[in-house]
């Protein structure tokens, strides 16, 4: 295959995507500068160009200050920049480290890299040894439903956890959460509000489940989860609501 051959795609084919605005078949590789404060991440990014004549990693930086110096000294074609340098206590974060070389090297493309924020509060040297769940003050009917692909035995496409406190034929309290639709389980307060004060019925389960996707912003390849989530929540509401 020759550089630029459409049958040979690459996840970082920036030159051929028009980032630099020059002739896509130059014979020269795209020179990458990698900037991230995690050595493991840098090693992974550095391995991307391996075996691809169109890409070459010309340098890597472990801090914002180093990224600025290398960008000015190496004049890379593209800089892969960690947005969260500041979280590691650096004096220059990814945004500032991008502004400075961009001012000196006009037109330098920068691909910003980031990840979700911390999803737990476990600190260095700490270890979770036990989890204590106190008895709930009111009796609850509860259950969990996990919807999986037939060929997958671990990851859920969607899931729903439901707990209902029903007294005198009326739902007094509702706890509803969904999984498989975000980086962490999500509470569904709109569904909970639609349930409290109502009498259990198939019509109620369907109406409340319609609120399960409120505020969701699906991507191209997971848009199907909107309807799947609603059906998962409705089914689990019906199961828990029918528990004697």
């Amino acid at each position: 295959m020759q550089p630029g051959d459409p049958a040979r795609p690459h996840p970082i084919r920036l030159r051929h995507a028009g980032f630099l605005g020059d002739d896509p078949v130059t014979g020269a590789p795209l020179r990458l500068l990698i900037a991230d404060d995690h050595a493991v991440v840098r090693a992974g990014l550095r391995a991307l160009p391996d075996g691809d004549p169109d890409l070459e990693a010309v340098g890597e930086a472990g801090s914002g200050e180093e990224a600025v110096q290398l960008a000015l000294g190496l004049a890379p074609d593209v800089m892969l920049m960690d947005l969260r340098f500041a979280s590691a206590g650096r004096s220059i974060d990814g945004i500032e480290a991008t502004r400075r070389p961009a001012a000196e090297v006009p037109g330098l493309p920068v691909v910003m890299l980031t990840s979700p924020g911390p999803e737990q509060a476990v600190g260095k040297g700490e270890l979770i040894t036990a989890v204590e769940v106190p008895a709930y003050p009111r009796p609850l009917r509860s259950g969990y439903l996990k919807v999986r692909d037939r060929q997958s035995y671990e990851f859920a496409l969607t899931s729903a956890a439901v707990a209902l406190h029903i007294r005198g034929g009326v739902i007094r309290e509702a706890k509803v959460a969904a999984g498989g639709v975000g980086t962490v389980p999500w509470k569904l307060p709109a569904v909970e509000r639609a349930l409290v004060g109502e009498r259990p019925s198939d019509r109620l389960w369907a109406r409340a489940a319609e609120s399960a996707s409120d505020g969701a912003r699906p991507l191209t390849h997971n848009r199907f989860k909107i309807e799947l989530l609603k059906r998962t929540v409705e089914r689990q509401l019906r199961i828990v609501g029918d528990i004697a």
Side-chain angles (χ1 to χ4, degrees):
M1 300 289 183
Q2 297 298 318
D5 191 327
R8 191 170 176 276
H10 193 282
I12 313 182
R13 192 161 300 283
L14 303 180
R15 181 184 297 277
H16 308 325
F19 266 66
L20 305 182
D22 57 4
D23 185 350
V25 184
T26 63
L30 189 71
R31 304 171 70 251
L32 305 176
L33 171 60
I34 300 167
D36 195 289
D37 56 354
H38 292 87
V40 173
V41 175
R42 293 199 304 273
L45 292 172
R46 191 172 60 246
L48 287 176
D50 289 352
D52 192 323
D54 295 341
L55 300 172
E56 178 187 4
V58 296
E60 59 180 83
S63 69
E65 297 92 334
E66 189 178 7
V68 172
Q69 296 301 318
L70 289 179
L72 297 177
L74 297 174
D77 294 323
V78 175
M79 180 162 59
L80 306 181
M81 171 64 69
D82 179 11
L83 184 64
R84 300 177 64 86
F85 271 134
S87 64
R90 307 295 184 181
S91 59
I92 299 180
D93 62 16
I95 296 177
E96 178 62 22
T98 299
R99 289 196 186 105
R100 289 174 55 174
E104 298 290 337
V105 186
L108 172 64
V110 178
V111 176
M112 303 301 290
L113 308 175
T114 188
S115 61
E119 297 171 353
Q120 42 74 27
V122 178
K124 184 177 181 181
E126 296 180 334
L127 178 67
I128 297 174
T129 59
V131 177
E132 297 182 3
V133 181
Y136 202 72
R138 291 175 290 280
L140 292 176
R141 308 176 182 183
S142 62
Y144 173 73
L145 176 63
K146 184 176 183 179
V147 179
R148 297 174 294 187
D149 185 273
R150 289 183 63 184
Q151 296 182 350
S152 172
Y153 295 92
E154 183 175 2
F155 299 106
L157 290 174
T158 61
S159 63
V162 173
L164 301 176
H165 172 46
I166 302 176
R167 187 179 74 249
V170 176
I171 300 172
R172 307 295 179 175
E173 188 174 2
K175 305 289 185 182
V176 185
V181 293
T183 57
V184 295
W186 290 92
K187 279 182 61 65
L188 302 177
V191 176
E192 296 171 350
R193 289 193 297 270
L195 295 169
V196 174
E198 301 290 338
R199 292 185 175 276
S201 68
D202 288 343
R203 179 177 297 180
L204 175 64
W205 308 141
R207 177 166 56 83
E210 281 296 314
S211 303
S213 60
D214 284 2
R217 292 179 293 177
L219 303 177
T220 303
H221 301 294
N222 64 6
R223 192 173 301 276
F224 72 95
K225 287 195 174 187
I226 293 291
E227 186 61 30
L228 182 60
L229 173 62
K230 294 178 182 178
R231 295 186 182 189
T232 303
V233 171
E234 180 181 355
R235 179 179 176 184
Q236 188 60 8
L237 286 173
R238 182 177 291 110
I239 291 173
V240 172
D242 288 343
I243 294 176

